[in-house]
């Protein structure tokens, strides 16, 4: 969790991101660093496509060396990626990666923004990307971010001039940024935005280039560098006790679900940016050269600057409270500044600095993690002044509700604490990621409240305003209401305080496969989020499906407890795809939400409310064999999916594999990237090959190219080279080129129509070279590209069969794609047709 990051020596501004979860005390060196940043009025915006695309070296350098207000605009939340640390995929992975980005920014000192673009998966061309994203909408989001953030300089991570050379999302992010650079200052472009912001023209836009983009270091050395700026971002910050590269490494290491944890780097580090638009700085080591970044850039700012520059120049590290009178004077002068943009920003920074110097501890917390609309919750109010200045707590308001706290003097180091009962209005919205509130499209999230567009997360439901008076100066400080508790093995913990429904419902399985006409018992689990919850639950279902009873009652006495009721669901006679949803009815309300919690130590726990539903699929599917051994790789839900169609799936611990232990399985499946992430397999590969040779059937799902190290001469019994070939269009044509092979004949006949309805992609990391023992089964390609035949290969080995597939079954099976189930069943059944034939002859 974020409190783990407390050991980092960071600036006060870096710590601001964390204050939503806990109070952080700042050292005088951190306060001084914040004053340095307060006195730099320049802004930089870094733009790319995904979480972990950002250059944390450059962001950290701009935020901590240049002292600029710096932000990263990630167009997507990384929803289409993979998860190396847990089960979250798609929108839940996007929630996790959002928090990892915020954790990264809390380390490198940047801020974080997003557009409404959905990471729908790998795209080869920006033409496809911008079509799926809805270019006009996402371009408008980039324009909106520029108008609100008002950057002096913009830096693109990718090159807008080289479509097709990298991920289509990458190039698209640069193309949109390049176009938005001018549109942001056009009052006729996205004019509706100007009711809540104003037109803005950045001074310069750059491309963050390097030798890699030139093909080699030799070519880069020989290249014309007229329009290039160069910075050494390996600088050391004595005041922070860390180098820029160390901060950068710590920041990028927050992307744990993508496997970005890494060693810290140190020493000199060259960074280059190429001017795309705007005037070229005379000083090619300073991208702000020629831009006024002093207090004089705003009307009335010089007088404020004279005060604050003097404090910076003569900062008293032993007793910074001596600066409070002048800081308060600057604070008062800021109230009269007409430039609302800088006024709001600098008041917030000054508030943090004055609070830190004064040693304020201001906190509003609960001892419960959540509440419901219409309920009353106890909130602990704490206020502490750890200085000799005169401070009076005039009042505390929570969302404009009075707490009946009267004026009280906050004497040095005397804690004021009071419990208050707070009524949660019935109209309070549930806590959940705002971009998931409404159903979006494949490429774009729907956000009805335009004021939320761009924000990294949903604003906290409740904030406490501490109205202070410091030496006669009115000084309001806002703090979010948080949930605080302690664990014996972790100590004090802060988490978000959430608003959720009185009860939620969920299915154990999000996809229910009916392999035949037999009915199934469908458990629905109701969880209570308050005491004494009673009501009914019924199933909403599609045409052709039937349930045994309209509704069932439930009654749960204690908050946090669960009760499971069951319905008997009967499928249609023919193949069908539909959805079922549980509807909870209580106290005149209907609730159809499922509560999902995402909990990891490196980010705050996330509460996500999604529509409670399960996809139901009626299949006519056959299978051969019963017992499947599954060796988990990077993590997927394929084992659960196979159990849905009647297989007995056992997870195999690679450490326990012996020649004899594998013989009980009808087939063995290796999960995605197993050879990339399971080191033990280097010792067990011989047993897997022996299993095949003795008549076993092994299915190997995709691995990334050449990342299994020198311990494997090959992951297959014959020559097999994995490439980066992939087919990203889930609707691309698929041709069956080996129609007589049992893979497409037994026990289910596979047709081209079985590739309808696939999601996100066809597959990835297809082999492009293989020995003659392999038989390719399918042929496919993206538009405008040559066909590839490496998506599904089979080779006999001894008495058994080795199958390698890059098809994205790890996406298709959890999505309930019928054709994917039939094809996977066939892969597990290879060789069983001969056994059945012999049995019939013998009979």
């Amino acid at each position: 969790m974020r409190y783990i990051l407390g050991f980092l020596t960071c600036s006060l501004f870096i710590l601001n991101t964390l204050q939503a979860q806990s109070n952080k005390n700042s050292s005088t060196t951190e306060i001084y660093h914040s004053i340095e940043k307060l006195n730099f009025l320049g802004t930089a915006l870094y733009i790319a496509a995904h979480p972990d695309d950002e250059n944390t070296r450059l962001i950290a350098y701009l935020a901590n060396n240049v002292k600029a207000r710096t932000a990263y605009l990630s167009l997507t939340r990384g929803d289409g990626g993979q998860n190396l640390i847990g089960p979250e995929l798609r929108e839940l992975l996007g929630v996790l990666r959002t928090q990892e980005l915020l954790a990264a920014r809390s380390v490198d000192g940047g801020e974080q923004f997003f557009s409404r673009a959905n990471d729908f998966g790998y795209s080869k061309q920006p033409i496809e990307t911008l079509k799926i994203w809805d270019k006009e909408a996402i371009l408008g989001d980039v324009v909106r971010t520029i108008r609100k953030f008002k950057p002096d300089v913009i830096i693109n991570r990718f090159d807008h001039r080289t479509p097709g050379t990298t991920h289509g999302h990458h190039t698209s992010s640069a193309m949109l940024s390049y176009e938005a650079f001018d549109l942001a200052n056009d009052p006729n472009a996205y004019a509706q935005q100007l009711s809540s912001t104003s037109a803005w023209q950045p001074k310069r836009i750059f491309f963050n280039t390097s030798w890699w983009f030139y093909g080699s270091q030799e070519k880069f050395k020989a290249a014309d560098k007229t329009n290039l700026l160069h910075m050494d971002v390996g600088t050391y910050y004595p005041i922070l006790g860390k180098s820029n590269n160390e901060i950068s490494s710590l920041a990028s290491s927050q992307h744990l679900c993508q496997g970005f944890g890494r060693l810290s780097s140190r020493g000199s580090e060259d960074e280059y940016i190429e001017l795309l638009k705007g005037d070229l700085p005379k000083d090619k080591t300073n991208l702000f050269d020629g831009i006024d970044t002093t207090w004089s850039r705003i009307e009335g700012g010089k007088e404020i600057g004279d005060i604050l520059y003097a404090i910076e120049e003569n900062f008293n590290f032993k007793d910074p409270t001596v600066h409070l009178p002048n800081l308060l004077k600057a604070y008062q002068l800021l109230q009269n500044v007409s430039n609302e943009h800088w006024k709001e920003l600098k008041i917030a920074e000054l508030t943090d600095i004055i609070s830190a110097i004064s040693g304020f501890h201001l906190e509003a917390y609960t001892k419960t993690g959540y509440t419901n609309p219409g309920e009353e919750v106890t909130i602990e109010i704490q206020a502490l002044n750890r200085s000799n200045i005169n401070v009076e707590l005039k009042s505390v308001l929570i969302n404009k509700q009075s707490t009946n706290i009267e004026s009280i003097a906050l004497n040095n180091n005397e804690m004021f604490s009071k419990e208050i009962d707070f009524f949660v209005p019935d109209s309070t919205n549930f806590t959940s990621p705002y971009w998931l509130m409404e159903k979006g499209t494949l490429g774009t999230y729907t956000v009805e409240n335009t004021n939320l567009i761009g924000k990294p997360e949903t604003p906290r439901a409740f904030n406490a305003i501490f109205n202070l008076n410091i030496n006669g100066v009115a000084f309001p400080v806002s703090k979010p209401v948080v949930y605080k508790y302690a664990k014996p093995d972790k100590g004090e913990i802060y988490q978000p305080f959430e608003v959720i429904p009185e009860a939620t419902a969920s299915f154990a399985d999000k996809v229910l496969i009916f392999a035949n006409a037999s009915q199934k018992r469908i458990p629905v689990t109701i969880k209570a989020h308050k005491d004494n919850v009673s009501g009914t639950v019924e199933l909403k279902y599609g045409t052709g499906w039937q349930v045994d009873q309209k509704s069932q009652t439930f009654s749960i006495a204690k908050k946090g407890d669960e009760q499971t009721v069951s319905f008997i669901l009967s499928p249609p006679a023919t193949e069908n795809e539909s959805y079922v949803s549980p509807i909870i009815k209580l106290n005149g309300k209907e609730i159809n939400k499922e509560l999902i919690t995402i909990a990891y130590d490196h980010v705050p726990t996330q509460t996500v409310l999604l529509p409670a539903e399960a996809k139901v699929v009626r299949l006519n599917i056959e299978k051969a064999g019963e017992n499947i051994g599954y060796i988990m790789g990077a993590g997927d839900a394929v084992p659960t999916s196979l159990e849905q169609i009647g297989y007995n799936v056992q997870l195999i611990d690679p450490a326990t594999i012996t020649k004899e232990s594998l013989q009980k399985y009808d087939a063995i499946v290796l999960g995605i990237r197993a050879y990339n992430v399971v080191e033990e397999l280097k010792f067990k590969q011989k047993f897997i090959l022996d299993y095949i040779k003795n008549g076993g059937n092994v299915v190997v799902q995709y691995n990334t190219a050449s990342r299994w190290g020198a311990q494997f001469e090959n992951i297959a019994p014959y020559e097999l080279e994995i490439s980066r070939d992939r087919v990203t269009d889930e609707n691309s044509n698929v041709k069956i080129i080996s129609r007589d092979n049992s893979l497409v004949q037994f026990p289910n006949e596979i047709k081209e129509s079985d590739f309808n309805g696939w999601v996100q992609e066809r597959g990835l990391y297809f082999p492009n070279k293989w020995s003659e023992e392999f038989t390719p089964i399918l042929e496919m390609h993206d538009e405008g590209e040559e066909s590839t035949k490496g998506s599904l290969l089979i080779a006999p080995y001894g008495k058994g069969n080795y199958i390698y597939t890059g098809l994205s079954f790890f996406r298709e099976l959890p999505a309930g794609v019928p054709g994917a189930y039939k094809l996977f069943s066939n892969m597990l059944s290879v060789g069983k047709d001969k056994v059945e034939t012999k049995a019939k002859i013998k009979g």
Side-chain angles (χ1 to χ4, degrees):
M1 300 176 192
R2 281 190 186 162
Y3 52 84
I4 290 177
L5 297 176
F7 73 93
L8 298 176
T9 305
C10 302
S11 71
L12 178 63
F13 186 80
I14 292 174
L15 293 173
N16 286 345
T17 307
L18 300 181
Q19 286 179 349
Q21 310 309 323
S22 63
N23 277 281
K24 294 292 180 179
N25 302 319
S26 300
S27 68
T28 53
T29 55
E30 291 165 352
I31 293 170
Y32 176 73
H33 188 58
S34 297
I35 292 173
E36 291 181 304
K37 292 172 69 65
L38 177 72
N39 283 335
F40 188 92
L41 278 69
T43 309
L45 179 63
Y46 200 90
I47 299 179
H50 310 108
D52 70 41
D53 280 346
E54 81 273 27
N55 184 341
T56 55
R57 294 186 305 274
L58 192 50
I59 291 174
Y61 178 82
L62 292 172
N64 297 291
N65 184 279
V66 179
K67 313 296 191 305
R69 184 187 181 210
T70 308
Y72 174 42
L73 169 57
S74 176
L75 294 194
T76 77
R77 297 175 185 268
D79 327 72
Q82 292 157 41
N83 188 354
L84 297 184
I85 63 173
E88 294 84 9
L89 291 174
R90 293 304 306 152
E91 66 271 6
L92 295 180
L93 179 59
V95 174
L96 172 58
R97 296 187 74 183
T98 293
Q99 292 302 314
E100 289 187 336
L101 267 181
L102 288 171
R105 297 294 79 76
S106 74
V107 174
D108 61 32
E111 299 176 50
Q112 186 62 52
F113 300 110
F114 293 94
S115 81
R116 288 170 291 173
N118 188 348
D119 179 4
F120 56 85
Y122 193 88
S123 178
K124 295 177 180 177
Q125 291 290 341
I127 293 176
E128 178 198 39
T129 299
L130 295 174
K131 180 179 179 181
I132 295 175
W133 272 355
D134 183 354
K135 178 190 173 184
E136 288 306 308
I138 306 308
L139 176 59
D141 290 355
V142 180
V143 170
R144 183 189 299 272
T145 301
I146 293 172
R147 286 172 171 174
K148 286 191 171 184
F149 189 64
K150 301 190 184 309
D152 297 303
V153 296
I154 294 175
I155 305 169
N156 291 341
R157 183 69 180 102
F158 301 102
D159 192 347
H160 69 285
R161 300 160 296 191
T162 56
T165 60
T166 183
H167 197 321
H169 296 183
H170 292 167
T171 309
S172 295
S173 70
M175 293 169 67
L176 294 174
S177 173
Y178 188 80
E179 188 172 351
F181 179 83
D182 294 317
L183 288 179
N185 199 40
D186 182 355
N188 296 315
Y190 301 99
Q192 71 279 6
Q193 296 179 3
L194 299 177
S195 62
S196 59
T197 185
S198 59
W200 178 256
Q201 182 58 64
K203 301 294 191 300
R204 297 162 184 149
I205 184 170
F206 299 94
F207 161 47
N208 187 190
T209 190
S210 69
W211 68 263
W212 187 86
F213 290 96
Y214 286 76
S216 69
Q217 293 185 355
E218 291 73 22
K219 290 181 180 179
F220 182 66
K221 287 180 181 178
D224 180 7
K225 297 184 178 61
T226 302
N227 287 333
L228 264 60
L229 276 67
H230 166 252
M231 294 156 284
D232 181 355
V233 298
T235 185
Y236 178 71
Y237 305 123
I239 202 166
L240 298 179
K242 280 184 172 56
S243 69
N244 192 76
N245 285 344
E246 288 173 297
I247 293 174
S248 165
S249 299
L250 288 167
S252 62
S253 290
Q254 302 310 306
H255 297 295
L256 296 184
C257 74
Q258 302 302 297
F260 269 53
R262 62 187 176 96
L263 292 173
S264 294
S265 60
R266 299 165 181 84
S268 181
E269 183 84 38
D270 291 328
E271 201 68 59
Y272 293 89
I273 56 175
E274 176 190 357
L275 182 71
L276 301 176
K277 286 183 183 180
D279 61 306
L280 185 68
K282 293 180 180 179
D283 180 356
K284 290 191 175 183
T285 65
N286 179 9
L287 72 171
F288 284 96
D289 183 43
I291 299 173
D292 187 359
T293 58
T294 70
W295 277 99
S296 296
R297 78 178 292 173
I298 60 175
E299 186 178 352
K302 184 180 183 306
E303 186 179 0
I304 299 170
D306 288 343
I307 296 171
L308 296 177
Y309 291 136
I311 293 174
E312 180 182 346
E313 182 69 22
N314 302 289
F315 188 73
N316 188 324
F317 286 88
K318 289 186 176 180
D319 183 16
T321 60
V322 300
H323 301 301
L324 280 173
N326 283 332
L327 287 170
L328 287 168
K329 183 178 180 181
Y331 178 86
Q332 288 178 293
L333 290 172
L334 260 175
Q335 313 300 318
N336 302 319
V337 168
S338 59
N339 188 312
E340 291 296 328
H341 175 72
W342 285 111
K343 176 181 176 179
E344 180 181 348
L345 291 173
K346 293 305 176 180
I347 284 178
E349 289 182 53
L350 254 180
T351 297
D352 287 343
I353 290 170
I354 292 170
S355 296
I357 288 177
S358 305
F360 289 158
H361 171 88
L362 304 172
E363 193 167 80
Y365 70 90
T366 72
K367 297 178 182 179
T368 180
Y370 56 84
T371 188
N372 318 119
E375 293 296 300
E376 197 169 67
V377 62
T378 299
I379 297 177
E380 178 87 7
I381 304 294
Q382 289 187 347
L384 177 65
N385 165 31
R386 287 172 286 198
S387 71
N388 289 316
I389 61 171
N390 295 318
V391 181
E392 185 180 7
L393 177 63
K394 303 292 290 186
S395 65
V396 179
L397 302 178
I398 298 180
N399 288 29
K400 299 183 179 180
Q401 283 191 39
S402 173
T403 59
N404 296 320
I405 292 176
E406 299 177 356
S407 295
I408 183 171
L410 297 180
N411 299 320
N412 187 1
N413 214 29
E414 293 182 6
M415 173 70 80
F416 168 78
S417 181
K418 182 177 181 179
E419 284 190 349
I420 60 105
D421 293 326
F422 175 74
F423 177 75
V424 180
D426 288 313
S427 59
T428 306
N429 292 327
F430 297 138
T431 303
S432 196
Y434 70 84
W435 62 96
L436 300 179
M437 295 292 192
E438 304 290 337
K439 188 174 180 62
T441 66
L442 173 64
T444 310
Y445 284 117
T446 297
V447 180
E448 297 294 342
N449 184 351
T450 57
N451 292 325
L452 294 175
I453 295 174
K455 292 182 181 296
E457 55 187 345
T458 305
R460 291 289 99 200
F462 308 114
N463 291 279
I465 305 297
F466 292 80
N467 289 308
L468 305 176
N469 187 291
I470 307 176
N471 287 348
V473 177
F475 191 77
V477 179
S478 178
K479 293 287 184 179
V481 177
V482 296
Y483 167 43
K484 184 170 78 168
Y485 63 105
K487 282 187 173 182
D489 58 336
K490 292 183 181 295
E492 188 175 70
I493 299 172
Y494 287 80
Q495 291 292 353
F497 177 60
E498 314 285 34
V499 182
I500 60 178
E502 295 155 294
T504 52
S506 63
F507 294 111
D509 298 309
K510 299 302 179 286
V511 176
L512 300 166
I513 304 297
F514 291 73
N516 50 47
S518 299
Q519 56 188 206
K520 284 190 176 184
R521 182 178 296 274
I522 308 300
V524 179
T525 299
I526 300 107
K527 185 169 186 175
H529 305 298
K530 62 176 293 187
D531 291 339
N532 301 315
V533 174
S534 298
T536 62
V537 60
E538 61 184 53
L539 280 191
K540 181 180 178 181
Y541 51 90
T543 303
W545 298 79
Q546 297 293 330
V547 295
D548 62 330
Q549 50 192 311
K550 181 179 178 180
S551 66
Q552 294 200 53
T553 61
F554 68 89
S555 181
I556 305 175
K558 293 293 184 182
K559 179 171 70 174
D561 282 353
E562 297 178 341
Q563 182 178 338
T564 299
V565 300
S566 294
F567 294 86
I568 303 298
L569 184 63
S570 300
T574 58
E575 290 194 345
N576 181 288
E577 295 181 57
S578 187
Y579 288 87
V580 293
S581 301
I583 308 296
I584 294 174
K585 294 185 177 182
L586 62 108
N587 300 326
K589 304 174 186 176
E590 288 192 357
I591 303 170
N592 67 336
K593 296 293 186 182
E594 175 185 8
L595 177 67
I596 300 168
T597 300
I598 302 175
Y600 293 95
D601 281 348
H602 66 300
V603 295
T605 297
Q606 297 298 293
T607 297
V608 184
L609 290 169
L610 293 178
E613 64 179 16
K615 184 177 182 179
V616 288
V617 182
R618 165 70 167 94
L619 285 178
N620 289 319
I621 187 171
E622 301 290 340
K623 65 183 184 67
E626 296 293 335
N627 298 313
I628 307 299
Y630 202 96
I631 301 173
M632 193 64 75
D636 58 64
V638 172
T640 301
S641 299
L642 296 179
E643 289 173 342
Q644 286 270 2
I645 56 174
Y647 282 107
N648 174 29
V649 182
Q650 296 181 14
L651 297 182
I652 300 175
D653 178 358
T656 66
I657 292 176
T658 64
K659 183 176 182 180
E660 293 74 21
S661 69
L662 301 180
Q663 301 308 311
K664 60 184 177 181
Y665 298 112
D666 294 306
I668 293 172
V669 181
L670 280 82
I672 60 173
R673 298 181 62 188
Y675 286 105
N676 299 142
V677 300
V678 183
E679 187 175 357
E680 185 72 21
L681 285 177
K682 67 183 179 183
F683 305 111
K684 306 299 181 176
Q685 177 74 348
K686 59 183 179 180
F687 299 131
I688 295 173
L689 294 180
D690 284 343
Y691 167 79
I692 304 172
K693 188 180 292 186
N694 292 325
N697 185 19
V698 168
V699 177
V700 178
Q701 298 179 82
Y702 95 92
N703 287 262
T704 52
S706 302
R707 291 187 183 176
W708 44 76
Q711 63 265 31
F712 294 107
E713 291 184 9
N714 207 330
I715 62 172
Y718 309 111
E719 179 187 359
L720 182 73
E721 292 188 19
I722 311 300
S723 72
R724 298 185 66 87
D725 290 350
R726 61 203 303 164
V727 175
T728 62
D729 182 357
E730 64 269 32
N731 298 311
S732 60
N733 290 330
V734 176
K735 183 179 180 181
I736 299 173
I737 56 177
S738 298
R739 289 190 177 273
D740 294 334
N741 196 283
S742 65
L743 270 184
V744 291
Q745 291 295 331
F746 177 83
N748 305 285
E749 182 183 358
I750 304 299
K751 303 175 182 178
E752 274 81 0
S753 60
D754 285 308
F755 292 91
N756 295 340
W758 284 48
V759 299
Q760 190 159 327
E761 63 195 352
R762 291 295 187 199
L764 63 170
Y765 293 102
F766 297 161
N768 61 354
K769 292 182 181 179
W770 51 83
S771 69
E772 61 182 9
E773 286 84 359
F774 282 102
T775 299
I777 306 299
L778 306 173
E779 183 177 9
M780 61 186 69
H781 64 90
D782 280 322
E783 184 177 356
E785 297 187 355
E786 294 184 0
S787 292
T788 175
K789 299 179 180 180
S791 63
L792 180 58
L793 304 171
I794 182 170
Y797 182 65
K799 299 177 182 178
N801 293 278
Y802 176 95
I803 299 170
Y804 187 92
T805 180
L807 293 171
S808 59
F809 288 106
F810 70 102
R811 299 194 193 279
E812 312 311 320
L813 298 187
V817 177
Y821 274 92
K822 292 179 181 179
L823 182 53
F824 211 101
S825 176
N826 283 14
M827 291 193 300
L828 299 176
S829 303
V830 166
K832 302 295 190 299
D833 52 341
K834 297 177 182 178
V835 173
E836 289 193 5
T837 300
K838 289 180 180 179
K840 289 179 181 178
I841 293 174
K842 184 177 181 179

